[in-house]
Amino acid sequence: GAVVSQHPSWVICKSGTSVKIECRSLDFQATTMFWYRQFPKQSLMLMATSNEGSKATYEQGVEKDKFLINHASLTLSTLTVTSAHPEDSSFYICSARDRVQPQHFGDGTRLSIL
Amino acid sequence: AQRVTQPEKLLSVFKGAPVELKCNYSYSGSPELFWYVQYSRQRLQLLLRHISRESIKGFTADLNKGETSFHLKKPFAQEEDSAMYYCALKGAAGNKLTFGGGTRVLVKP
């Protein structure tokens, strides 16, 4: 079945640093990748949709300068949280799909900003 | 606008009992509905989708357009069904999924 790999699984860093999270589709070409944020005991909230080779589409209320998304190839998308602060601490999940399959999800990345 | 509502945050049942997770949606067009499951310490996985009309792990779900519902059912719950379940909707025009708040199912021995 389709596999989506997300790295790192957990990161702790100081306030003010930037953090990059990678999302890879391992056995299919992901024409579209999605980035979600999940707070404790809450549902997944879509942050942005990323199509290969084009700019990401951000959901209302998500700062595109804060959460930089790059989808340079059909198997890789990255999310960079720039100048991270404690309020950015959360669980970030990516998913990927091609034109046929439904979304397949990564394991998620737990981001803790001190 | 798309909206998915899962009214129950927690469902606790005994092994062998039936379980039904409610999902209601709001969407003006023809939606595609999904159920995703997340077992402890694992990633979110697709359980089933309404267009497939199949039964996975004993679970079934029927899309009721009149009641705008997509409830998930299993006649005899097993302990390994304990997990978090999310109902999700994809609109006809786009790719994105809108998730419900999730229902935690606990199956007691």
Side-chain angles (χ1 to χ4, degrees):
Chain A
V3 178
V4 174
S5 171
Q6 195 171 333
H7 177 80
S9 57
W10 193 17
V11 59
I12 303 174
C13 60
K14 291 182 179 180
S15 183
T17 58
S18 293
V19 179
K20 181 184 282 189
I21 303 169
E22 291 187 349
C23 180
R24 293 180 186 273
S25 58
L26 297 186
D27 53 358
F28 68 101
Q29 294 188 321
T31 49
T32 308
M33 286 184 167
F34 305 84
W35 288 96
Y36 296 85
R37 186 171 178 175
Q38 186 177 31
F39 290 103
K41 295 187 180 356
Q42 294 190 28
S43 188
L44 287 77
M45 299 298 296
L46 181 65
M47 298 174 67
T49 302
S50 167
N51 291 300
E52 187 266 338
S54 60
K55 289 184 179 179
T57 302
Y58 289 81
E59 295 299 300
Q60 194 172 11
V62 178
E63 299 175 61
K64 58 182 177 183
D65 294 331
K66 173 77 169 175
F67 299 100
L68 299 178
I69 291 172
N70 183 283
H71 191 169
S73 78
L74 282 170
T75 58
L76 174 64
S77 176
T78 61
L79 167 68
T80 301
V81 184
T82 61
S83 187
H85 289 94
E87 58 266 27
D88 299 322
S89 298
S90 191
F91 195 57
Y92 293 88
I93 305 171
C94 77
S95 71
R97 61 165 292 170
D98 60 17
R99 287 187 174 81
V100 177
Q101 299 194 65
Q103 290 185 36
H104 292 273
F105 288 79
D107 280 330
T109 297
R110 185 161 305 284
L111 176 61
S112 297
I113 309 297
L114 305 177
Chain B
Q2 327 183 157
R3 179 178 289 180
V4 178
T5 304
Q6 293 178 247
E8 303 126 336
K9 288 193 179 302
L10 173 66
L11 274 180
S12 182
V13 300
F14 284 102
K15 177 183 173 181
V19 62
E20 180 179 31
L21 290 74
K22 291 186 169 48
C23 172
N24 289 91
Y25 67 90
S26 174
Y27 183 67
S28 56
S30 292
E32 192 172 346
L33 276 297
F34 304 82
W35 276 99
Y36 282 84
V37 59
Q38 188 171 31
Y39 300 103
S40 180
R41 292 190 174 81
Q42 294 187 29
R43 69 183 64 195
L44 208 60
Q45 303 171 37
L46 178 65
L47 181 61
L48 51 81
R49 52 197 304 193
H50 91 268
I51 60 172
S52 300
R53 300 187 65 82
E54 55 192 345
S55 173
I56 304 292
K57 298 185 179 182
F59 285 96
T60 59
D62 290 316
L63 178 61
N64 186 323
K65 291 187 178 180
E67 295 183 358
T68 60
S69 68
F70 188 57
H71 303 328
L72 182 69
K73 301 175 186 178
K74 184 168 182 176
F76 308 103
Q78 302 300 313
E79 289 181 70
E80 55 265 30
D81 297 326
S82 296
M84 194 74 182
Y85 292 80
Y86 293 96
C87 182
L89 177 154
K90 185 170 82 71
N95 281 315
K96 68 179 186 180
L97 287 173
T98 299
F99 283 86
T103 298
R104 182 168 298 281
V105 171
L106 177 62
V107 181
K108 297 177 286 188

